[in-house]
Amino acid sequence: MDVNDAADDGWGMTAEQQPTNRMERDTELMWGLRQSEPRRGPKPRLSRDAVVAAAVALADAEGLEAVSMQGVAKELGFTTMSLYRYVESKEDLLVLMNDAAMDTAPPGPCGGRDWRAGVEAWVHGVLTMYGRHPWAVYLPQNGPPSGPNGLRWMEAGLREIVRSGLDPRRSVQILTMLSTTLREMFRMNVDMERAARAAGATVADTMRGYAAGLGRAVTEEHFPTVARLLREDVLEDAPAEAHGRGPAGPTDELDFPVRRLLDGVEVYVERQRAAGDPDKAARRSGG
Amino acid sequence: MDVNDAADDGWGMTAEQQPTNRMERDTELMWGLRQSEPRRGPKPRLSRDAVVAAAVALADAEGLEAVSMQGVAKELGFTTMSLYRYVESKEDLLVLMNDAAMDTAPPGPCGGRDWRAGVEAWVHGVLTMYGRHPWAVYLPQNGPPSGPNGLRWMEAGLREIVRSGLDPRRSVQILTMLSTTLREMFRMNVDMERAARAAGATVADTMRGYAAGLGRAVTEEHFPTVARLLREDVLEDAPAEAHGRGPAGPTDELDFPVRRLLDGVEVYVERQRAAGDPDKAARRSGG
DNA sequence: GCGGGACAGTGTACGAGATAAACTGTGTAT
DNA sequence: ATACACAGTTTATCTCGTACACTGTCCCGC
């Protein structure tokens, strides 16, 4: 049952021994389990961490698309194939980068405050983190977080949401909605800024162009509501407002929906409490 | 609003002037503007629509990763390069596929009902659409929808949300949150089902593996809340519930957060209404 | 009704990228 | 000491996107 036969396999053997469902594998990968412990042969001059760090540095400097195995290897001053001693595939590398991008600590528990303030602090923290590693939002997400850093963030967010009185399962659902929204909103902002820069224009220009393009196609009869948006210049202003915080910080667009979500949670919890609490029996430390 | 800021030189055929920003370009692309009208030379045996349709068919049958220019061309019985007469690049093709995937009509306006019922019908419609073209959730989103089909869906969703009394700008924000969440939730489900199938297991097994993997790393002191999830088997059950509706239909996990969001909108609108008139007075507030 | 040029589709080629496999040197356990 | 495990390299292959030059078609103005 023990999993320490890895000393032998290298690549000769087909990996048939591990039941390896994807998420379990990734988890082990990120937690550094699954590392062999060789004490023979030349000393490694590289390490998995060094590889990941180089990849992160490259992505920070030149964007995710610059992260090729060759690129990372060059960054390190080694050959492309040397990386494969430390990661099984580029996919693995991306998985590791994903967790590595979250290396800043999430906001800690500040007991006194409103749970909502806690959640909003978490949201702000996530945005700051994305600001540091904007490429992270382009990485494929293979599932819920499972690396050490990802879990830290999940723990921190969940900790605050649970304080609302929501049960854990539903808290996870709310957290998921929050996370995906943060991520996607941020991604869109990065996209737009990139597109704007590529066109030598501003984000506001880009949105104006978008609105203008729509204007040619949107008819009042077929798209009355969208037409109204155009009429009221909603599409042009909205993201422009998000300008206040440097590169890609969508908070104004985000704050409103987030607050509505939290409102909704609050209302729900109150109603449950008022109605005698049917599904909240597990509040105390069960077990 | 009139649109005359750009020198509107005809897009007859020349590509001379296109400072067009990305979103504007994509819009024109999808609406079929920017098509030349040649009446010389051999008759085209292909068409942009045929190319897109073939790509969609391929994606439906074998997944997005099977959609290479060579693959699509083979599907059509033409050479790879022939496609480039109809799309400028693979990226363009993906943009077109994105809109093409939304070819089913969104739910129409059913006047009488609750606006929330309308929104939920829309949500359901989106999920059904994704169910038909699961690969669509993997396409890069270059911005808000701008193709005909995408706009139809946006219009339909917005139409319902606006009925809540929310002003258009905020309605867009709510719709965005909804869309991204739908998309990402669905994507995760597809991922998990794919991973499960690849491992010859069920989704439930995958989640069990995930929980087991976490269990090895999660300590009660560092991750109390997550540990509680594990203790209560929350992670293992949640997606298993989503099983009821064939391939990748996450509704149970989705319904709760969506309803909380709508609750939140409702509460917000009521509060605004109670505090004088909402329409423009609700500008700088936020909670 | 003819000839030229615009145009559809082809063939070839190239460069980037991931990665498989064989290979070379090194240093430690025996 | 020495064999072999192991780090890093070299070489090669396969897939892709796409640039470019080419071939054959058929509409146009003559």
Side-chain angles (χ1 to χ4, degrees):
Chain A
M1 291 305 169
D2 214 89
V3 203
N4 49 11
D5 51 282
D8 196 74
D9 64 78
W11 2 42
M13 313 301 198
T14 20
E16 189 176 5
Q17 71 283 16
Q18 303 258 353
T20 313
N21 93 48
R22 170 62 173 276
M23 291 198 328
E24 189 168 6
R25 214 191 74 92
D26 286 354
T27 306
E28 291 180 357
L29 182 69
M30 294 201 223
W31 286 88
L33 314 173
R34 195 183 197 69
Q35 293 272 47
S36 44
E37 183 84 30
R39 269 304 95 192
R40 195 104 159 241
K43 283 190 299 190
R45 297 148 62 207
L46 270 174
S47 67
R48 176 178 289 176
D49 283 351
V51 170
V52 174
V56 166
L58 226 195
D60 283 340
E62 304 181 42
L64 231 209
E65 61 283 344
V67 178
S68 62
M69 296 308 265
Q70 13 263 327
V72 174
K74 189 155 60 182
E75 183 96 353
L76 287 163
F78 287 82
T79 58
T80 305
M81 290 311 291
S82 67
L83 306 186
Y84 284 92
R85 182 105 13 215
Y86 301 95
V87 292
E88 266 181 29
S89 63
K90 185 181 183 184
E91 221 183 330
D92 272 13
L93 177 57
L94 294 179
V95 165
L96 291 166
M97 288 176 72
N98 196 17
D99 200 65
M102 299 187 276
D103 56 355
T104 58
C110 358
R113 286 181 319 181
D114 193 4
W115 68 272
R116 297 182 54 139
V119 173
E120 287 184 19
W122 182 85
V123 166
H124 181 263
V126 170
L127 288 180
T128 305
M129 191 197 74
Y130 284 158
R132 232 185 284 278
H133 300 299
W135 44 267
V137 300
Y138 292 93
L139 290 172
Q141 296 299 301
N142 299 318
S146 54
N149 292 329
L151 263 190
R152 256 191 281 284
W153 279 93
M154 183 182 179
E155 170 70 26
L158 219 44
R159 188 220 306 136
E160 301 302 321
I161 295 181
V162 158
R163 284 176 61 205
S164 69
L166 220 53
D167 71 86
R169 154 177 283 117
R170 309 213 131 117
S171 298
V172 170
Q173 293 171 351
I174 297 296
L175 187 68
T176 304
M177 189 178 212
L178 269 180
S179 306
T180 62
T181 304
L182 288 184
R183 189 184 173 85
E184 290 302 299
M185 291 274 211
F186 195 96
R187 207 178 52 68
M188 275 195 188
N189 258 54
V190 174
D191 274 345
M192 282 190 24
E193 261 161 47
R194 182 183 303 189
R197 197 176 341 271
T202 68
V203 173
D205 287 337
T206 304
M207 282 312 286
R208 226 183 323 277
Y210 170 62
L214 283 195
R216 272 190 230 127
V218 165
T219 64
E220 184 76 36
E221 326 91 80
H222 291 106
F223 303 95
T225 321
V226 175
R228 184 171 160 209
L229 292 184
L230 290 175
R231 232 186 301 117
E232 299 180 12
D233 291 339
V234 168
L235 294 178
E236 303 181 19
D237 295 351
E241 280 184 23
H243 222 71
R245 66 177 47 238
T251 35
D252 281 342
E253 310 154 84
L254 214 45
D255 277 347
F256 181 75
V258 166
R259 289 192 177 129
R260 275 348 105 214
L261 217 212
L262 301 190
D263 279 354
V265 169
E266 203 167 277
V267 166
Y268 175 80
V269 171
E270 277 163 17
R271 276 188 202 138
Q272 290 304 111
R273 243 194 268 282
D277 232 50
D279 70 58
K280 285 290 331 317
R283 210 264 196 222
R284 270 188 60 248
S285 65
Chain B
M1 293 301 275
D2 55 52
V3 192
N4 51 9
D5 55 320
D8 209 311
D9 51 7
W11 35 56
M13 49 202 248
T14 145
E16 183 172 349
Q17 160 74 300
Q18 18 197 358
T20 353
N21 77 55
R22 170 62 173 276
M23 292 198 326
E24 191 168 5
R25 216 190 73 91
D26 287 353
T27 306
E28 291 179 357
L29 181 68
M30 294 202 231
W31 285 88
L33 314 173
R34 194 182 199 74
Q35 294 271 47
S36 42
E37 184 83 31
R39 270 301 97 191
R40 198 107 159 238
K43 282 191 301 190
R45 298 148 61 206
L46 269 173
S47 68
R48 176 176 290 175
D49 283 350
V51 170
V52 174
V56 166
L58 227 195
D60 282 341
E62 304 181 41
L64 231 208
E65 62 283 343
V67 178
S68 62
M69 297 307 267
Q70 12 263 326
V72 175
K74 188 155 60 184
E75 184 94 354
L76 287 162
F78 287 83
T79 59
T80 305
M81 291 311 291
S82 67
L83 306 186
Y84 284 91
R85 186 122 344 233
Y86 301 94
V87 292
E88 265 179 31
S89 62
K90 185 181 182 182
E91 221 181 329
D92 272 13
L93 177 56
L94 294 179
V95 166
L96 292 166
M97 287 176 72
N98 196 18
D99 200 65
M102 299 188 276
D103 57 355
T104 58
C110 358
R113 285 181 319 180
D114 193 4
W115 67 273
R116 296 182 54 141
V119 173
E120 287 182 19
W122 182 86
V123 166
H124 181 263
V126 170
L127 288 180
T128 304
M129 191 197 73
Y130 284 158
R132 235 186 282 277
H133 301 300
W135 45 267
V137 299
Y138 292 93
L139 290 172
Q141 295 300 300
N142 299 317
S146 55
N149 293 329
L151 263 190
R152 255 191 283 282
W153 279 93
M154 182 180 178
E155 170 71 25
L158 219 44
R159 189 219 308 137
E160 300 302 321
I161 294 181
V162 158
R163 284 176 60 205
S164 69
L166 220 52
D167 70 86
R169 153 177 285 117
R170 307 214 132 114
S171 299
V172 170
Q173 293 171 352
I174 297 295
L175 187 68
T176 304
M177 190 178 212
L178 268 180
S179 307
T180 62
T181 303
L182 288 185
R183 189 183 173 85
E184 290 301 300
M185 292 274 212
F186 195 96
R187 208 177 52 69
M188 276 194 188
N189 258 54
V190 174
D191 274 345
M192 281 189 24
E193 261 161 47
R194 180 182 305 188
R197 196 175 345 268
T202 69
V203 172
D205 286 337
T206 304
M207 282 311 285
R208 228 183 319 279
Y210 169 62
L214 282 195
R216 268 188 235 132
V218 164
T219 64
E220 183 76 37
E221 327 91 80
H222 291 105
F223 302 96
T225 321
V226 174
R228 185 172 159 207
L229 292 185
L230 291 175
R231 229 187 302 117
E232 299 179 12
D233 291 338
V234 167
L235 294 178
E236 303 180 20
D237 295 352
E241 280 184 24
H243 221 71
R245 65 175 49 237
T251 36
D252 282 342
E253 310 153 80
L254 214 45
D255 278 346
F256 180 75
V258 165
R259 290 196 176 123
R260 277 346 105 214
L261 218 213
L262 300 191
D263 279 353
V265 169
E266 202 167 276
V267 165
Y268 174 82
V269 171
E270 277 163 16
R271 277 189 201 139
Q272 291 304 114
R273 240 193 272 281
D277 192 43
D279 233 46
K280 265 305 195 180
R283 250 180 109 87
R284 185 54 209 164
S285 86

